[in-house]
Amino acid sequence: MFLFPACAATIVAMYREFAPPADLAPYVACVWSTVHRGGAIFPDGCVDLVWHGTHLVVAGPATGPMSPQIEVGEPVSGVRFRLGAAGVALGLPAGEFADAEVRVADVWGADVDERIAEGGTPALLDVVRERFDGAALDPLTRLAAVAMAAPGARVDALGRELGLSERQLRRRFADAVGYGPKTLARVLRFQRFLALARPGDDLARLALSAGYADQAHLTRETRRLAGRTPRELLLARATPAGERLDRFVQDRLAPAS
């Protein structure tokens, strides 16, 4: 989760991530904590459960910059689901939570808030553990979701490889991820750009390395997904968020020949 500051000189340094317990690792990307300093949260393809200190909220999969309903200076913590795991955990299609924050009490009942208020993060992890007890992820959707992180990934080709029509793939993505594979591909390409970016990088070459057609394409997409230009994101040292996919970890830009 990256909070874009109101001023580029203001950098959020309080955010910390922790590995989940081993039994939750197939479903949970990380456990995290931070102190809210204001600003927007950018799409990362994931769904989070966010503890506000008094109540738990589902932060649904975003398609644009989101302003969380959190007071500046408020400590918050949460659990981030892996791509494709949210629908199983929530017990509802993840698409019903797209671009929204929903109180968990309205979905699972008020006792969840009471348990976490008393037990903290261990209680939150127990709640998540119960949601996955006896449940199984859709293996094809999970495989397809991770594959969408590859530069140039095509939905039609992926569908053929998995034996699914594009319509079937869209439906399964809407349930498990929260939006269709093409939208997820755009979001993950944006995250790939953030993973590769460094202040002073040549934007034209960075755009190609991240999987965009050219710099203009990169600019259109960052404005659409983050409401900011690529240069603004670089100056703010915006960092990648979401599930840390292996295919995001690649060699830095090679020197120009």
Side-chain angles (χ1 to χ4, degrees), residues 54-234:
T54 58
H55 60 278
L56 191 66
V57 168
V58 179
T63 60
M66 299 286 290
S67 297
Q69 300 173 21
I70 307 171
E71 295 294 330
V72 173
E74 179 182 342
V76 288
S77 57
V79 167
R80 178 165 303 129
F81 295 119
R82 293 194 183 278
L83 293 173
V88 172
L90 299 173
L92 291 167
E96 295 189 14
F97 300 87
D99 292 315
E101 289 188 359
V102 178
R103 290 190 64 151
V104 170
D106 296 333
V107 183
W108 297 343
D111 65 307
V112 172
D113 289 342
E114 297 170 1
R115 288 177 59 184
I116 299 172
E118 294 178 1
T121 298
L124 172 58
L125 293 173
D126 283 341
V127 168
V128 172
R129 194 171 279 114
E130 292 166 9
R131 300 301 302 182
F132 286 108
D133 185 29
L137 301 183
D138 179 349
L140 288 183
T141 303
R142 168 63 184 174
L143 180 63
V146 173
M148 284 293 99
R154 293 181 58 86
V155 176
D156 54 353
L158 182 60
R160 287 194 300 271
E161 182 179 342
L162 298 177
L164 297 172
S165 69
E166 190 169 338
R167 182 177 179 179
Q168 290 173 319
L169 204 54
R170 285 198 306 269
R171 185 174 64 250
R172 291 168 85 148
F173 263 67
D175 288 346
V177 178
Y179 35 58
K182 290 183 179 179
T183 299
L184 179 63
R186 289 178 49 244
V187 169
L188 296 182
R189 183 174 55 195
F190 168 68
Q191 288 296 328
R192 186 180 183 86
F193 158 71
L194 294 180
L196 293 174
R198 300 292 185 276
D201 275 346
D202 178 81
L203 287 177
R205 294 183 61 243
L206 183 57
L208 295 176
S209 294
Y212 294 96
D214 51 31
Q215 185 176 340
H217 184 203
L218 167 64
T219 300
R220 289 195 302 272
E221 285 292 282
T222 60
R223 285 188 179 278
R224 184 175 178 182
L225 292 170
R228 306 292 190 276
T229 66
R231 186 63 64 194
E232 287 174 324
L233 293 169
L234 263 63

Side-chain angles (χ1 to χ4, degrees), residues 4 15 28 36 38 42 57 123 129 150 161 237:
F4 192 93
Y15 178 75
V28 173
H36 185 51
F42 301 147
V57 168
R129 194 171 279 114
E161 182 179 342
R237 298 180 184 273

